[in-house]
Amino acid sequence: MESQSAKIPGSKSLESNADLESAESHFHVGIKHSQNGQIKLAIASWQTAIALQPNLVEAHYNLGTALLEQGKTEQAIASFQAALDLDPDYHLARLSLVVSQLPIIYADKTEIESKRHEYQRQLQSLVDYYEQADLEQRQAAAMAVGSSQPFYLAYQGKCDRDLQQTYGGLIQGLMASRYPQWSQPLVMPKLKAQEKIRVGFVSGFFNRHSVWKIILQGWVENLDRSEFELFGYF
């Protein structure tokens, strides 16, 4: 979970400086609890901060990420929406709101289908939103990339190719807006006679991990070495 520092979009609605200082104090205590793995205490601190000062955007966002970590999906969604209501340009919350449509556990197959449909709808809405956004907004949104990812989509047991292509296209577009100099397609070199195709794997899981056991291991062990030359980048 990535905790954010406090930001207040305005001061007109502040009841008092004392309330603000107290709210910010609880907010930062919550970050400390989160860093120490004390999620319940972090949630309590952020809830207190919000009660004292409802305008603390990052308190709503941090509360949402903590609730999501505890599997409290609907409450997390409400927190992310509250952050967006306060600051429509808060891209971390906008991305998290979409990804939080994918809970860890489902009651039955019907819920899988309904959540999957809602994730698809909101993902496409997010794509449409950033397609209409100006360059400055897209560049700012690129900073949120990686903060929240559709990790639990794979656990639904469905074919995710189209959804992942939509998500990947969104991420690629945002990153290209911020780093156009690194977003141009590379010219692929032509293979010489008898030269093997070079394939590189970039991963943080070249070890005893489900990503290795389920995905990487099969590729690494079964790609025909007479046709391919393999490289691994940890």
Side-chain angles (χ1 to χ4, degrees):
M1 181 177 64
E2 182 181 354
S3 299
Q4 299 296 309
S5 299
K7 179 179 70 175
I8 300 176
S11 59
K12 292 182 180 180
S13 62
L14 299 181
E15 295 182 2
S16 69
N17 289 333
D19 284 345
L20 172 58
E21 291 175 1
S22 180
E24 289 185 335
S25 176
H26 284 287
F27 174 82
H28 289 293
V29 168
I31 290 180
K32 196 67 177 178
H33 284 317
S34 175
Q35 292 171 341
N36 292 334
Q38 299 170 309
I39 303 303
K40 290 184 178 180
L41 292 176
I43 288 174
S45 294
W46 289 326
Q47 288 174 332
T48 301
I50 291 169
L52 289 168
Q53 187 44 254
N55 281 16
L56 286 174
V57 179
E58 276 77 5
H60 288 283
Y61 172 76
N62 286 6
L63 178 60
T65 59
L67 291 168
L68 198 62
E69 189 172 323
Q70 288 200 326
K72 299 177 180 179
T73 307
E74 297 305 319
Q75 295 178 48
I77 290 173
S79 292
F80 293 138
Q81 186 60 60
L84 272 181
D85 290 343
L86 288 168
D87 184 358
D89 291 328
Y90 197 62
H91 304 288
L92 286 166
R94 190 171 293 280
L95 182 59
S96 293
L97 186 61
V98 175
V99 174
S100 61
Q101 304 302 318
L102 303 170
I104 301 173
I105 299 174
Y106 301 87
D108 50 37
K109 291 183 179 179
T110 301
E111 187 181 14
I112 292 178
E113 292 300 332
S114 64
K115 292 294 186 180
R116 188 178 182 85
H117 175 76
E118 183 61 18
Y119 170 71
Q120 182 179 24
R121 185 187 71 80
Q122 294 214 24
L123 177 61
Q124 187 58 55
S125 177
L126 189 65
V127 170
D128 296 340
Y129 176 85
Y130 283 120
E131 283 182 349
Q132 298 173 20
D134 59 34
L135 180 60
E136 185 177 355
Q137 285 180 307
R138 290 169 58 84
Q139 289 177 337
M143 298 299 291
V145 169
S147 62
S148 185
Q149 303 178 48
F151 181 81
Y152 295 118
L153 183 63
Y155 290 83
Q156 294 179 342
K158 306 287 185 178
C159 177
D160 301 325
R161 187 183 186 279
D162 291 343
L163 286 175
Q164 292 290 64
Q165 186 174 25
T166 301
Y167 173 79
L170 167 67
I171 300 305
Q172 186 276 333
L174 294 178
M175 296 302 284
S177 296
R178 189 170 184 87
Y179 305 105
Q181 70 275 27
W182 296 331
S183 303
Q184 302 305 313
L186 300 176
V187 178
M188 297 298 292
K190 293 183 178 180
L191 290 177
K192 300 177 182 178
Q194 306 303 316
E195 187 177 9
K196 298 178 183 179
I197 297 174
R198 295 190 295 275
V199 178
F201 296 99
V202 182
S203 177
F205 301 104
F206 288 105
N207 50 36
R208 293 178 62 84
H209 188 280
S210 57
V211 171
W212 168 257
K213 291 185 288 183
I214 296 172
I215 305 172
L216 284 173
Q217 185 175 11
W219 289 339
V220 170
E221 292 182 353
N222 294 295
L223 277 176
D224 188 348
R225 294 303 197 276
S226 67
E227 297 284 342
F228 301 97
E229 184 178 6
L230 270 59
F231 296 85
Y233 303 90
F234 179 74

